[in-house]
């Protein structure tokens, strides 16, 4: 089985360094322009999107008008009250400072979800996708990909160290992974 995890292309929120998880944004013009069509996977490969607009648009930009499934549990972490705000806006907010202090995986932003909560739902969705043994292309979010990679390859990296750039990701096959650069070419490790 071959699984391709792809992070959506660049959005305006990415360009402005905003916390963006639950906000349903489109790709930015620069994000759309940076994506290049990828080689079509083998017949029978499942295409899956988190259902967020930026993922749907990325999937179409990379593979054309293919049929795809939506798996909402592959959506990004919900940043709650910090959604669509940047560090400069939040740095003096006591709730923000408390969220950043200590164990960021356990800490929950007000009205949002913790890293552990996000990881739990993502791994349950990943198990559902992989149980049938078919190849899959999953277009999702940076935090989602990082959570899956940290689970599959516990090499001492944190979830944050597995973050892939917009338009990039990983190919997972035979118990190994290969990074994918943002332009779609496979990088050697």
């Amino acid at each position: 089985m071959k699984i391709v995890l792809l992070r959506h292309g660049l959005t305006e929120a990415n360009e402005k360094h905003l916390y963006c998880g639950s906000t349903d944004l489109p790709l930015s013009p620069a994000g759309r322009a940076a994506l290049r069509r990828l080689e079509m996977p083998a017949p029978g490969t499942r295409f899956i999107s988190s259902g967020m607009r930026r993922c749907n648009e990325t999937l179409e930009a990379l593979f054309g008008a293919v049929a795809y499934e939506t798996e909402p549990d592959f959506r990004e972490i919900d940043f709650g009250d910090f959604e669509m705000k940047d560090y400069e806006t939040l740095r003096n907010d006591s709730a923000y400072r408390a969220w950043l202090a200590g164990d960021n995986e356990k800490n929950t932003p007000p009205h949002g979800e913790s890293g552990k909560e996000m990881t739990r739902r993502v791994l349950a969705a990943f198990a559902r996708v992989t149980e049938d043994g078919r190849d899959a292309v999953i277009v999702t979010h940076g935090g989602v990909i990082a959570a899956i990679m940290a689970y599959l390859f516990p090499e001492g990296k944190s979830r944050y160290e597995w973050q892939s750039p917009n338009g990039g990701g990983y190919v997972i096959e035979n118990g190994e992974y290969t990074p994918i650069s943002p332009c779609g070419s496979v990088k050697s490790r």
Side-chain angles (χ1 to χ4, degrees):
M1 177 171 50
K2 180 179 188 176
I3 302 291
V4 178
L5 300 172
L6 291 169
R7 185 177 181 190
H8 62 80
L10 208 60
T11 67
E12 184 178 344
N14 298 129
E15 293 168 353
K16 292 181 177 179
H17 306 287
L18 305 176
Y19 289 101
C20 180
S22 60
T23 303
D24 198 11
L25 296 177
L27 296 175
S28 68
R32 187 176 296 281
L35 295 173
R36 306 283 183 265
R37 284 271 170 125
L38 294 178
E39 184 177 321
M40 191 58 70
T45 297
R46 296 169 70 182
F47 290 91
I48 302 165
S49 169
S50 74
M52 301 295 280
R53 185 173 173 189
R54 56 196 180 265
C55 293
N56 299 345
E57 290 178 2
T58 298
L59 196 148
E60 185 173 331
L62 295 175
F63 299 104
V66 297
Y68 63 90
E69 304 165 42
T70 298
E71 176 49 78
D73 283 342
F74 284 138
R75 71 190 184 283
E76 184 60 277
I77 193 169
D78 183 348
F79 291 107
D81 291 352
F82 307 143
E83 185 77 15
M84 298 304 291
K85 296 176 183 162
D86 65 7
Y87 172 79
E88 286 303 315
T89 303
L90 294 168
R91 68 187 177 128
N92 294 320
D93 182 311
S94 60
Y96 178 70
R97 289 194 315 269
W99 176 62
L100 290 180
D103 187 345
N104 199 287
E105 286 297 302
K106 292 180 183 175
N107 292 351
T108 304
H111 305 106
E113 71 181 325
S114 71
K116 284 189 179 280
E117 291 167 329
M118 186 267 304
T119 297
R120 190 176 312 117
R121 73 171 156 75
V122 165
L123 294 180
F126 189 72
R128 290 191 299 272
V129 167
T130 58
E131 69 186 5
D132 74 3
R134 288 192 293 160
D135 292 354
V137 172
I138 302 170
V139 182
T140 186
H141 309 269
V144 171
I145 293 170
I148 293 168
M149 293 301 291
Y151 171 76
L152 293 176
F153 302 99
E155 302 173 345
K157 290 184 178 182
S158 74
R159 181 167 57 91
Y160 298 100
E161 292 172 298
W162 283 107
Q163 283 280 351
S164 56
N166 292 93
Y170 297 94
V171 176
I172 303 167
E173 190 171 23
N174 299 322
E176 297 184 0
Y177 68 90
T178 306
I180 302 171
S181 72
C183 61
S185 62
V186 176
K187 299 189 290 189
S188 58
R189 279 196 282 154

